[in-house]
Amino acid sequence: MAMNPVPASTSCVPIARNEHIDLFRGIAILTVLVLHFALAFGLKNSPLAAVLPKIVLVALGNSGNYGVTLFFVISGYLITSNSLARWGHLSRMEIGRFYAYRFARIMPPLLLVLLIIVILGSLDVPFFDNSDGDHALPASYFVIAVGSVLTFWHNVLMQSQGYFNYCLNIYWSLSVEEVFYLALPLACVLLRKNLFFILLCLAAIMYAPFYRAQHADNELFFMYGYAACFDAIALGCLTALIAPRFSLPFHVARLLRICALLACFALYLIGIHGHEAFGFSWMALAAAVYIFAAATPHPGAASHATAPLRWFGRYSYELYLFHIVVLALLRNIWTREQVSYAARLPLMLAFLALSAALAWLVARYVAEPANRWLRQRMLGVAT
């Protein structure tokens, strides 16, 4: 394992797509989608019970939030790596341009899905209105609910209200991401030195398990709070700073990736319950090891067997935003009780296919064109 200095760079070109990270992101979004389907329609009483061990079936319906942890680590890594590629050093980040890049990528599909949810919810379509849990909030509450999504505190709103809107509930994690996007360039420019930024990341990593332990009896806090999630993002940021200094041989990188994936799978099977404080820490650390091993480029095409997962990873943001719309529509057609044992698996596959098709359409005709147009207008670049 050789250690190389980080070259100074003033390139404005983001890092190229990494197929191993796309694969990892595909695994992460799939665990989230399967979790939401299992919560809606159930999987234990399905044909999967005949082929999968009980421990796996239980994990499918209980451990999907670990997929969000993987996303946080990936996000911390990619955002930090892209910033280093564009500006050469974190202290030289241009705050306005950084925000413009994030706005162009995030907002167009987000505004579209929020518009769909608000229209259907205002028409009192079940699972789109503000009546999740024990709530019966009026359509006017969308002003606060959507406003909280767009101003980065939807998770805080849920902590005070509980689960109140089936579709909007899932966007708590976007609020965590957005606060990270808001804080990163400010922290980097103000702290100036990488050492101070590293210390800030280490503080987040050390505090998170303590915070989760203090709130272990309330998932709205130990899973959704800012302090509960920033350790995973911080580990991704640190990985982005460390990985370029090492060049791993192919066989070492592959072995590390396999071991990290096995560790993630083991933690997924163990589950969250009873491990609220440190389970997320271990999952984030395993994800950081995988990304560290994936950061070294190696020649050769990726396996065709992983292509579907890599595709899911490439469109993970659109899948995250729009799969809940597909699932809510399906729940308006069939109740959990109406879906038979034999129909549950085909329905899940149909849900995944419909979500993938909608995600691709949104990416192809909304997200990507709007991203290019906004970058051209705000930044003068088309890529």
Side-chain angles (χ1 to χ4, degrees), residues 225-237:
Y226 297 121
C229 303
F230 282 165
D231 59 331
I233 295 175
L235 274 166
C237 295

Side-chain angles (χ1 to χ4, degrees), residues 22-270:
D22 273 343
L23 169 65
F24 202 47
R25 191 155 42 182
I27 293 171
I29 191 62
L30 193 59
T31 63
V32 173
L33 267 60
V34 172
L35 167 68
H36 291 160
F37 181 87
L39 292 175
F41 292 105
L43 284 176
K44 293 180 184 178
N45 187 23
S46 77
L48 285 178
V51 295
L52 294 178
K54 182 179 179 181
I55 189 174
V56 176
L57 285 173
V58 171
L60 291 176
N62 292 289
S63 301
N65 276 91
Y66 275 149
V68 182
T69 303
L70 303 185
F71 272 119
F72 286 149
V73 181
I74 294 167
S75 179
Y77 171 77
L78 289 178
I79 296 300
T80 306
S81 294
N82 272 284
S83 297
L84 288 170
R86 289 193 177 104
W87 292 291
H89 195 277
L90 294 179
S91 65
R92 293 197 290 269
M93 290 176 67
E94 299 175 40
I95 296 175
R97 292 181 70 85
F98 177 89
Y99 291 156
Y101 275 117
R102 291 290 84 209
F103 181 91
R105 174 66 183 105
I106 291 170
M107 282 301 170
L110 176 61
L111 291 174
L112 175 60
V113 76
L114 290 176
L115 180 63
I116 293 170
I117 292 169
V118 169
I119 290 174
L120 294 177
S122 298
L123 295 173
D124 291 326
V125 177
F127 302 105
F128 291 93
D129 59 9
N130 299 314
S131 62
D132 199 20
D134 297 323
H135 293 86
L137 299 170
S140 60
Y141 197 74
F142 275 119
V143 175
I144 296 174
V146 171
S148 70
V149 176
L150 296 175
T151 52
F152 327 142
W153 58 282
H154 189 68
N155 53 334
V156 177
L157 180 63
M158 289 176 63
Q159 287 170 347
S160 64
Q161 283 284 4
Y163 296 100
F164 67 90
N165 183 293
Y166 178 73
C167 287
L168 292 181
N169 284 343
I170 72 162
Y171 300 140
W172 68 267
S173 58
L174 187 59
S175 289
V176 175
E177 290 267 7
E178 288 169 331
V179 168
F180 163 58
Y181 300 150
L182 181 67
L184 177 67
L186 295 173
C188 291
V189 171
L190 291 174
L191 294 174
R192 307 274 321 155
K193 295 182 180 297
N194 279 353
L195 174 61
F196 297 143
F197 179 71
I198 290 170
L199 291 175
L200 179 63
C201 290
L202 291 175
I205 292 167
M206 289 186 291
Y207 178 66
F210 173 78
Y211 173 87
R212 290 192 291 262
Q214 292 296 108
H215 300 282
D217 60 341
N218 190 333
E219 69 178 28
L220 290 170
F221 285 82
F222 79 74
M223 283 201 298
Y224 302 164
Y226 297 121
C229 303
F230 282 165
D231 59 331
I233 295 175
L235 274 166
C237 295
L238 291 180
T239 305
L241 292 174
I242 296 169
R245 298 179 178 273
F246 295 86
S247 179
L248 300 178
F250 173 77
H251 65 281
V252 173
R254 182 173 60 183
L255 179 62
L256 269 181
R257 291 197 306 272
I258 293 172
C259 290
L261 284 175
L262 290 175
C264 288
F265 184 61
L267 291 164
Y268 180 77
L269 293 182
I270 292 170

